[in-house]
Amino acid sequence: MSALDAGKTYRDILILEDRNRWESCKSQFDAQRDVVLTYDLGLRREVEQLGGLACYVDHLADKQSMQENNFLIYHFFRKWHFDAEGQDIFQYRGVPLGFSFRLEIWNDFVFYARTRICMEILRGLKYEKLVVGTRLGLIESVLTEMGLAFVPVLPNTGSGKATYYFPIHDWMDEKVRFKGIGGVKYRLRDIVSSLQGSMMSWADRWFGGDKKKPTVFIQEYHPTRKLIKRLQQEDRVRLLLATFSRNKGAFRYIPIWRAASKFQVEADNLMSRFRVQRCAKLVVSNGGDISDGLYRIIETRIANRLAAALRDLDCVIRYLDANPLSLEVLIANLGHLAPLVDSVCKTRGIPSYFIINGILGNEFLDEGKYATVINSYSVSIKEHYFRGMDNIVCLGDPRMDAYAMGEIAQRMINRVMPTITVGASGHNNTDLNSYLAVEFDFLYDVLHALTTIKSRGVALHIIIKVRANGYRKQYERFVQEYFPGLVDEILDSAPMPQVLRRTDFFISIYSQTLFEASCLGIPCLYYKKDTEIMDPPFDGNSELVTVTSVDDLIVAIEDYRSGHKRYDAFLERTVMEKYIGPLDGGNLERNLNFIYQLLEQAKNGPTH
């Protein structure tokens, strides 16, 4: 949140993406009369070193108003594709598909809403001139919508300064929309899946293909990989997957053929109908109606995707007509193909079993709440995130079987010369209270605290574990610039259990890795640099030791070194089971048996 003063008259308000825009402005910067708004921790620190004020441009509003707006924007998010009768405007062959565009629009939707709400703060400030320069251009567009005049700034292309914020738009293009060189791998994967899917379909038609076995569609990801392997080994079902599997085997896939252009006319008709029939409105907490801007964002994304989505849905319908499903198993209400399969299943009354993908803890979200039966892992998640729902079971996370008693040897904790692992933070693109620089803000504070501890003569081995998202070099440049010589290792692709087995003390944000560390007997600390409002144990009032300042970080690290009892509660397995579910080693079996039970009910009808 910002320290902007509504009672002060600023000379210039400079909204600059990073230090590469700053280069052309800093010679005219007046530290006493100007203010800088940026995404970049690097620019913020440089301005502060000059004695000036810098704030994060996407973190200007207080957390309570942003939380109120979270509920408002997600009400719109659930309704944007409905007409006045509450029907999905996007329908093809009797199947609604508007819901399936969530992944395509989600980041842009929240990012626009956050930007618009933060820019509204400017209306309450007094200033002489607004100077703006960003790469994406969204801020410039929003200011134009708002009628606020500004002077544009071009980047200094020769400066090449490192940036310290998560490049979420680049990541979405690479990992979700499969653009660029990295996208070739995903396109080849889809071609291979379609080829194998076609061959398996022909084999099923020619040789029978075990037609007496029920067919189960499974969305493959971390919670379901072992399930897929077991189902394949037991050979009681025919497995249908969305994309090429990391498990070995002759899996079935839905072949996606035909050119998307053949569906362009239908796509254009649906877009025209959408423009006429849409009726959802979003008025944020300050009274501003931002619906038109959001609809522009949505239209831009889905207009480019709709013809391909219709082609994919047509292929799904054709495949499921010829190869009926008995059950679908999901880990998210997101993806490209899986939501289309889910839409067909819901239309046809095919039951679904949802296994959540990690901890869910934001009250305003509805992700994971659309299935016949949902495995919430634990009682805590059931009582908080799924409050009031009666289709919830608590069957545990199959991945946590690796942490059952008897399966692991708890680490002997070294408090004299400890290895301290820092689980790097991450921007949450679904929450208005998050901001792009949060992971570097978090890391700066933690490393600053560890510098203080080390200056007291304590021997530390420091590991930073970052996400395997392809941006490791950002962290390397960050550490080299601000904390040279402090960090011993920066790991990205190493499996988390492997890293934890070398760890004596673990510092992280809200993450399932905190539970994994605790199950290994490792004391854990949650440094809450974020301002998100979360369910327990990330609410600041639970067993998990939580601090919110560098001074408290230093005290907490010293308390760990002295063996303070404040860490004991979160190490108790009963506490772990309350939050993450059973740790008896039986989660895989429970989930497997429940799938068979659902198949039996689908075959014979539910028993009462």
Side-chain angles (χ1 to χ4, degrees), residues 523-555:
C524 297
L525 175 65
Y526 169 31
Y527 179 52
K528 188 171 177 57
K529 187 65 177 181
D530 63 276
T531 55
E532 298 174 52
I533 297 173
M534 305 285 292
D535 290 336
F538 306 113
D539 59 348
N541 297 307
S542 302
E543 298 89 346
L544 175 60
V545 179
T546 303
V547 296
T548 58
S549 71
V550 173
D551 288 344
D552 288 343
L553 255 175
I554 294 168
V555 171

Side-chain angles (χ1 to χ4, degrees), residues 291-327:
S291 309
D292 289 344
L294 287 171
Y295 278 128
R296 281 194 295 273
I297 294 286
I298 291 169
E299 279 194 43
T300 299
R301 286 300 182 193
I302 64 174
N304 295 327
R305 170 71 187 143
L306 185 52
L310 291 172
R311 183 267 318 273
D312 295 351
L313 178 57
D314 189 73
C315 292
V316 170
I317 292 171
R318 290 172 182 270
Y319 185 90
L320 297 186
D321 283 345
N323 305 275
L325 277 183
S326 296
L327 178 69

